[in-house]
Amino acid sequence: MGSLYQGYTQYQTQKTQAKQAEINAQHAAEVGAQRAEAEKVRRETERGDQNESYRRRRAQQEASYARSGVLLDGTPSAYLTEQAETDELSVQRQDQASEQKRIGYLYQGLSQSVDYQNQADAYKYSSNASLISSPFNASSASSRSGSK
């Protein structure tokens, strides 16, 4: 009878562990998605700040040229255009880096989620095996004790 109880206890313990692993899987996926969303919001804010900073700098340069009497034709205009293009490339590079971070956060969350789900499946399999094998363990234990 002790083996049946042990088998049932193992079954219950492993079912509980399986449920916890499923909870962990869900949590890992959610955390990855939350981190990715936080990165997206952070980058959008940073992009706005950068664009405003670049716009101000170009406006100051234009004002400086105007105060000094330099016409915005030719070299000064080309310089300002080139600077605007450089600024845009900088923003794009930082957008790409941020997107890579977001993808990494999502991948990490999903990877951990799959690991936990695999762990839950293993616990479920093991719990069923414990429950199924416990009557056989009990009968073999009783036959051993009965043959003495």
Side-chain angles (χ1 to χ4, degrees):
M1 192 65 161
S3 291
L4 286 176
Y5 179 74
Q6 259 184 330
Y8 182 73
T9 303
Q10 279 182 322
Y11 169 79
Q12 289 293 82
T13 300
Q14 290 167 340
K15 280 291 191 186
T16 301
Q17 289 171 327
K19 285 179 186 176
Q20 184 60 51
E22 287 173 341
I23 291 168
N24 292 346
Q26 180 67 30
H27 180 70
E30 288 171 1
V31 167
Q34 288 169 352
R35 290 180 73 191
E37 184 61 25
E39 174 61 23
K40 179 182 176 184
V41 169
R42 183 202 65 77
R43 180 62 196 138
E44 287 171 354
T45 301
E46 182 181 60
R47 183 186 314 112
D49 292 346
Q50 278 182 307
N51 285 335
E52 180 61 22
S53 172
Y54 294 154
R55 186 196 61 73
R56 282 186 189 152
R57 187 183 68 224
R58 285 191 302 273
Q60 287 172 347
Q61 289 170 337
E62 287 175 18
S64 177
Y65 284 140
R67 278 193 305 271
S68 66
V70 175
L71 298 176
L72 290 178
D73 293 333
T75 304
S77 178
Y79 171 76
L80 290 174
T81 301
E82 185 179 317
Q83 187 61 52
E85 291 169 356
T86 301
D87 293 345
E88 180 58 29
L89 286 174
S90 175
V91 168
Q92 288 176 3
R93 278 194 299 275
Q94 290 178 10
D95 284 348
Q96 289 172 345
S98 177
E99 185 64 20
Q100 289 298 315
K101 272 186 182 178
R102 288 183 63 232
I103 290 169
Y105 292 146
L106 289 171
Y107 175 79
Q108 184 180 21
L110 291 175
S111 177
Q112 288 176 340
S113 179
V114 167
D115 289 346
Y116 282 124
Q117 193 57 53
N118 288 340
Q119 190 178 41
D121 292 344
Y123 283 132
K124 288 176 187 175
Y125 175 79
S126 181
S127 69
N128 290 336
S130 295
L131 194 59
I132 292 170
S133 68
S134 63
F136 298 112
N137 291 338
S139 66
S140 70
S142 65
S143 67
R144 282 187 298 226
S145 64
S147 63
K148 286 183 183 178

